[in-house]
Amino acid sequence: MSASLQTLQEKLGYTFRDPRLLEEALTHPSYLQDDPKVTQSNQRLEFLGDAVLHLVLTDELYRRYPDDREGSLTKRRATLTKGTFLSGLARNLGLEVQLRLGSGEESTGGRSRASALEDAMEAVIGAIYRDSDLATTRTTVLAWYGDVDRRLLDLESGENPKGRLQEWVQPVHGNGALRYEVASIEGRDTERSYEVVVSLNDKPLGRGRGPSKKVAEEAAAREALRAVESAGSSPG
């Protein structure tokens, strides 16, 4: 096995007994056209890995949120298996540079294509499962996700942090309890940096910076959500 694939295994946190499974997981269908000796792409492993990932996360969410109904659990799982997240995870783990692509796919930017990375990520999960067992795969996959509560908060609040913070506050304090204030503005007109503080009934909850007031407000809301989640507190 090449040194680059050994490095990849270190990033994955898993060493393959059968390295051919990892090579197969990284083989895009287009590669078969360029190398007739290779007869199997990562499509079958992707199919398997998709099912394994859903089982691992379904079990984890079922254990972690005993009071959640089916609809809420399904929504949480969808957030954790979203294509954009999986492709980002693939990049963080180094799959992008290890993909085996056909020359045509390579020339058209296939290495950075989100769908190719998502498929490879699921295929690697399938490969780990085939090489080991469900318990090992579960441990490996959840290590990639880290703190699932924090990961969910980051992913969900990333879409609309101000809206989510408002949803957290409104049932107890009503619509007007949150206030966003610009604390400082630095830089020239074309390179300004805004600092915003979000407060609940005059008590600061979060602080954020950004190139515009809107981005800074979202950063402040995101920090406030992380703080209240970590404290396990309620808006009261």
Side-chain angles (χ1 to χ4, degrees), residues 40 61 86 137 181 198 219 222:
Q40 190 70 267
L61 293 170
L86 290 181
T137 307
E181 291 184 316
V198 58
R222 203 170 284 118

Side-chain angles (χ1 to χ4, degrees), residues 206-225:
R207 185 180 296 266
R209 285 185 174 274
S212 69
K213 182 180 176 183
K214 178 178 182 294
V215 173
E217 287 178 349
E218 290 176 346
R222 203 170 284 118
E223 182 181 276
L225 285 165

Side-chain angles (χ1 to χ4, degrees), residues 50-142:
D50 175 68
V52 173
L53 176 62
H54 275 71
L55 176 58
V56 166
L57 291 176
T58 298
D59 180 64
E60 178 66 15
L61 293 170
Y62 183 87
R63 296 167 184 262
R64 189 172 288 266
Y65 302 107
D67 297 325
D68 274 20
R69 292 180 175 272
E70 178 188 1
S72 177
L73 292 171
T74 300
K75 184 178 178 181
R76 292 182 189 273
R77 186 181 63 191
T79 298
L80 294 172
T81 56
K82 191 176 297 183
T84 51
F85 171 72
L86 290 181
S87 61
L89 184 61
R91 290 188 184 93
N92 291 340
L93 291 170
L95 267 61
E96 183 176 9
V97 296
Q98 300 298 337
L99 283 179
R100 299 203 292 179
L101 300 170
S103 55
E105 184 71 14
E106 182 81 70
S107 65
T108 58
R111 187 169 299 280
S112 59
R113 189 165 290 128
S115 59
L117 291 169
E118 177 188 353
D119 292 348
M121 190 74 262
E122 292 175 340
V124 166
I125 294 170
I128 293 173
Y129 175 72
R130 286 292 310 277
D131 195 63
S132 58
D133 51 40
L134 182 58
T136 302
T137 307
R138 181 182 190 276
T139 299
T140 304
V141 169
L142 291 179

Side-chain angles (χ1 to χ4, degrees), residues 16 18-27 40-53 118-131:
F16 279 83
D18 183 358
R20 293 172 298 179
L21 283 167
L22 178 57
E23 292 178 349
E24 182 181 323
L26 297 170
T27 302
Q40 190 70 267
S41 74
N42 61 9
Q43 289 179 311
R44 283 172 55 83
L45 285 175
E46 175 210 339
F47 169 77
L48 176 62
D50 175 68
V52 173
L53 176 62
E118 177 188 353
D119 292 348
M121 190 74 262
E122 292 175 340
V124 166
I125 294 170
I128 293 173
Y129 175 72
R130 286 292 310 277
D131 195 63

Side-chain angles (χ1 to χ4, degrees), residues 179-197:
R179 187 173 73 255
Y180 293 84
E181 291 184 316
V182 176
S184 67
I185 303 175
E186 299 176 358
R188 308 176 199 171
D189 289 347
T190 57
E191 298 178 355
R192 280 192 171 172
S193 174
Y194 292 79
E195 183 180 29
V196 168
V197 175

